[in-house]
Amino acid sequence: MTALAVHHLTVEYRRHGGGRLRAVDDLSFELEPGETLALVGESGSGKSTVVRALSRFVKPQQGRIELDGGRNPHEYRRRLQLVFQDPFASLNPMHTVRHHVARPLKRHRRAQGRQDLETRILDLLTSVNLTPADEVARKYPHELSGGQRQRVAIARALATEPRVLLADEPVSMLDVSIRLEILNLLDRLKRERDLALLYVTHDLATARHFAKDIMVLYRGEVVERGPSDAVILDPAHPYTRILADAAPDPQARRGAPTTASRALPRPAERREASLDTGCKFRARCPFAMAKCAEHPPALPVGGDPRHTARCWLLAPE
Ligand code: ADP
Ligand code: MG
């Protein structure tokens, strides 16, 4: 049973100088309970806009979002929770850890009376390895490390017993040494609680390790998607190949980016004007051809219908 289904989501922002920027373009996907889907792409590709639309902070121009059991807005907020990038900004410096975790428990009536509330707070803190929980509960954010704050943010998200968890670059602001601990924690909680997890990241190595499937976003559009190993080890879209070549994955790819990816124009240099139609990547693409002025459909890669890429190179003659 699908926990969250997104159909043809399109989100536009007003540009400063007038006109509109399409930050998410016709995006469809599903999240399954107990599984992680990674949304990867470089900065500005629209990842956080997807999260904002799913959490109803921005209103989509088009599309439909269906959350299992979440028709009513209060229930939607209960069933879909977030973990943000910045553990320093996401906690209120004026309040204790207890307060942060108690709030969603009270708001969504997850506790029966004072004693039950206290038990639940301590259980949640213990489940994210913040122990001794009663000591941690009395602390203020400034008394915690970045990793501990992110654990509080995770405990708070779990308080409402969500079905879907959206984690937007949850470790990119943490010390490298504790990133894996936090990702392992999310992975364990996902399994224990049968959560549907959307893992937003620009890091292909952890996407491959923690997610069952990967979607690669380029300028608001999914250019490639499929089982994680297939997308990372056998990328079909030229953009995914560049990302994979640049990724510091010690297992799969060693050393510096390839000559091909170094020779490519950087995002700032790309010509945008003529890209209203056709493949959005073609100004940066080493394989661009005349056909690329037409918008490519999602085509199967290597005979696997679960692995698709939006590239004319995959089209039979
Ligand atoms: P990512 O999370 O992948 O870095 P974002 O979703 O934050 O990407 O941004 C996607 C695009 O939308 C970027 O070009 C960004 O500059 C633009 N953008 C994001 N937020 C706004 C906003 N509030 N108003 C206008 N443009 C925005
Ligand atoms: Mg972002």
Side-chain angles (χ1 to χ4, degrees):
M1 169 91 121
T2 298
L4 179 84
V6 175
H7 307 276
H8 305 289
L9 183 70
T10 296
V11 184
E12 293 177 347
Y13 295 114
R14 273 193 206 93
R15 281 188 205 271
H16 276 306
R20 290 174 167 278
L21 169 77
R22 184 163 285 196
V24 177
D25 192 354
D26 195 29
L27 176 70
S28 299
F29 67 91
E30 293 182 350
L31 296 182
E32 307 296 335
E35 286 175 7
T36 301
L37 174 66
L39 180 61
V40 306
E42 66 200 332
S43 178
S45 56
K47 304 182 298 298
S48 293
T49 302
V50 174
V51 170
R52 278 178 224 131
L54 296 182
S55 45
R56 298 183 165 174
F57 294 138
V58 300
K59 200 171 170 312
Q61 262 58 41
Q62 280 174 52
R64 205 168 78 249
I65 297 164
E66 286 175 290
L67 178 67
D68 179 36
R71 281 180 176 272
N72 141 329
H74 187 71
E75 197 53 20
Y76 188 100
R77 270 198 301 281
R78 180 179 86 69
R79 288 175 183 240
L80 181 141
Q81 289 285 318
L82 299 151
V83 177
F84 298 102
Q85 181 174 17
D86 186 352
F88 298 89
S90 67
L91 303 182
N92 185 332
M94 306 294 287
H95 290 299
T96 61
V97 169
R98 170 183 280 102
H99 176 92
H100 282 93
V101 180
R103 221 171 116 103
L105 286 168
K106 289 180 190 162
R107 178 174 292 175
H108 292 274
R109 301 182 196 287
R110 295 285 114 185
Q112 271 79 49
R114 282 189 84 82
Q115 190 50 53
D116 187 37
L117 179 66
E118 191 62 19
T119 306
R120 283 173 189 263
I121 291 168
L122 299 183
D123 283 353
L124 282 162
L125 293 175
T126 305
S127 76
V128 297
N129 303 337
L130 285 171
T131 53
D134 54 340
E135 264 176 46
V136 178
R138 286 194 294 272
K139 293 194 172 176
Y140 285 86
H142 76 265
E143 300 175 275
L144 305 175
S145 69
Q148 289 172 321
R149 289 182 204 209
Q150 202 59 315
R151 288 174 197 272
V152 174
I154 293 167
R156 174 179 60 183
L158 295 177
T160 66
E161 295 167 42
R163 306 303 306 136
V164 173
L165 192 63
L166 311 179
D168 190 352
E169 311 234 25
V171 298
S172 62
M173 292 185 68
L174 302 178
D175 283 349
V176 174
S177 58
I178 58 163
R179 288 181 185 174
L180 273 185
E181 280 174 37
I182 299 290
L183 292 174
N184 278 319
L185 171 66
L186 286 169
D187 191 57
R188 170 170 66 75
L189 294 166
K190 173 204 75 178
R191 275 184 280 113
E192 288 174 358
R193 292 164 184 254
D194 212 25
L195 287 166
L197 183 61
L198 183 70
Y199 173 43
V200 174
T201 182
H202 57 264
D203 176 20
L204 266 67
T206 57
R208 178 181 165 213
H209 189 262
F210 288 99
K212 177 168 177 274
D213 295 289
I214 291 180
M215 292 191 293
V216 181
L217 205 62
Y218 182 74
R219 296 182 61 195
E221 197 172 59
V222 172
V223 294
E224 183 158 358
R225 70 170 80 193
S228 299
D229 278 354
V231 170
I232 303 303
L233 298 180
D234 190 19
H237 196 284
Y239 177 61
T240 318
R241 287 191 214 159
I242 291 165
L243 286 182
D245 276 346
D249 183 342
Q251 265 190 315
R253 305 181 183 264
R254 290 175 187 280
T258 61
T259 341
S261 67
R262 266 190 270 114
L264 282 174
R266 299 306 309 148
E269 300 165 28
R270 71 195 175 204
R271 287 157 286 137
E272 312 252 350
S274 60
L275 288 179
D276 291 342
T277 60
C279 175
K280 291 178 180 176
F281 187 63
R282 71 185 193 278
R284 283 171 76 184
C285 184
F287 309 105
M289 48 192 178
K291 185 91 174 147
C292 303
E294 291 170 43
H295 190 251
L299 298 163
V301 178
D304 182 354
R306 293 171 308 161
H307 184 188
T308 59
R310 235 174 233 290
C311 180
W312 285 117
L313 291 171
L314 296 168
E317 277 313 296

